[in-house]
Amino acid sequence: MALGSITIQVALNQMGSSVVAAYTAAQRIEQLAMLPFVSFGIAMGTYSAQNFGAGLHGRVWQGVRQAAFMSFAYGLAIGLVLVFLSPLLVDAFIKDAPADVLRMGQQYFWVTVPFYPALILLFIYRYTLQGLGHSLVPTIAGFIELGMRIASLLPSLLRPCSGTRACSSAIPWRGWVLSRCLLWRT
C-alpha cells in the first residue's frame, strides 16, 4: 500500500500544486465516506467466522447478501452526495479553493464513485474469506492491487499532463481487479 501511495504522490507532484490540493482534499473526503464500507467488511469477518465455526454455513452467505445490500444502499446515497456536492465538500477542506481545484475534486469523484459497487464487494468478500480462514486469496489480491495501482499511473508518470483523471483512475482499478479475483475464488 505504501509503495502505491508513493507512486501516486510522485505522479501528483509532477502535475502541480492545484492537482495535489484537489487530490488530497478528495482523498480525505472519500476516506471518511468509505468508512462504512470498511466497517461492513470487518463486521462480515467476525460474523462469518462465528457462523462458520458454529456450522451455520448458510447464515454466512445470507450475511454476505444482507451486508452487500446495506452497503450498496449507503454507497448509492453517499455516491450521489459526493458527485453532486463535491465542490462544497472540497471547499470545506480548502477554504476559498480556486475553481480549478473544485473542478478537479469533482472530477475525482466522477471517476471513482462508479466503482463503489466493486469496492463494496471487495471489502465484504475479502473480510468474509478471512473470517472463513482463507487468507491467501486476500493476500494475493493485495499484491495485484499494488501492481494495478502502479500500472494505472504509468501514463501520468510518462506524460505528466494527464491530470487528475490518471491519479483517480488508480483507485477504481484496484477494486475491479480484486473483486474479480475474489469472485473467481469463491
Side-chain angles (χ1 to χ4, degrees), residues 8-9 11-26 94 101 104 164:
I8 288 174
Q9 194 62 51
L12 286 171
N13 290 343
Q14 295 176 3
M15 295 179 205
S17 60
S18 291
V19 174
V20 172
Y23 181 81
T24 302
I94 305 171
V101 172
M104 286 185 280
T164 55

Side-chain angles (χ1 to χ4, degrees), residues 94-139:
I94 305 171
K95 278 292 176 212
D96 302 321
D100 64 329
V101 172
L102 297 176
R103 181 186 48 76
M104 286 185 280
Q106 188 170 35
Q107 187 179 62
Y108 175 91
F109 291 113
W110 278 103
V111 172
T112 60
V113 166
F115 291 91
Y116 280 7
L119 194 58
I120 288 167
L121 292 176
L122 163 71
F123 286 131
I124 291 172
Y125 286 144
R126 175 190 287 170
Y127 286 105
T128 298
L129 285 172
Q130 288 175 339
L132 296 174
H134 301 291
S135 60
L136 181 62
V137 172
T139 302

Side-chain angles (χ1 to χ4, degrees), residues 5-185:
S5 296
I6 290 169
T7 305
I8 288 174
Q9 194 62 51
V10 167
L12 286 171
N13 290 343
Q14 295 176 3
M15 295 179 205
S17 60
S18 291
V19 174
V20 172
Y23 181 81
T24 302
Q27 273 283 277
R28 298 300 171 250
I29 294 164
E30 189 170 60
Q31 287 171 353
L32 290 172
M34 287 179 29
L35 285 174
F37 297 161
V38 177
S39 297
F40 277 116
I42 292 170
M44 280 309 303
T46 303
Y47 179 85
S48 61
Q50 290 174 342
N51 283 287
F52 186 76
L56 302 171
H57 301 210
R59 284 194 65 187
V60 172
W61 300 114
Q62 178 185 1
V64 166
R65 285 189 300 276
Q66 290 174 342
F69 176 78
M70 290 184 289
S71 292
F72 285 144
Y74 169 77
L76 177 63
I78 198 66
L80 290 172
V81 168
L82 292 176
V83 165
F84 293 110
L85 299 179
S86 58
L88 296 172
L89 297 170
V90 170
D91 195 52
F93 277 78
I94 305 171
K95 278 292 176 212
D96 302 321
D100 64 329
V101 172
L102 297 176
R103 181 186 48 76
M104 286 185 280
Q106 188 170 35
Q107 187 179 62
Y108 175 91
F109 291 113
W110 278 103
V111 172
T112 60
V113 166
F115 291 91
Y116 280 7
L119 194 58
I120 288 167
L121 292 176
L122 163 71
F123 286 131
I124 291 172
Y125 286 144
R126 175 190 287 170
Y127 286 105
T128 298
L129 285 172
Q130 288 175 339
L132 296 174
H134 301 291
S135 60
L136 181 62
V137 172
T139 302
I140 291 170
F143 285 109
I144 293 171
E145 174 183 349
L146 174 62
M148 289 306 297
R149 192 177 235 204
I150 292 170
S152 67
L153 282 171
L154 286 178
S156 62
L157 289 171
L158 299 174
R159 203 180 91 212
C161 61
S162 297
T164 55
R165 284 189 192 159
C167 291
S168 59
S169 69
I171 308 304
W173 266 109
R174 70 181 179 189
W176 183 84
V177 169
L178 289 175
S179 67
R180 295 298 128 212
C181 290
L182 295 174
L183 287 172
W184 173 77
R185 173 72 169 112

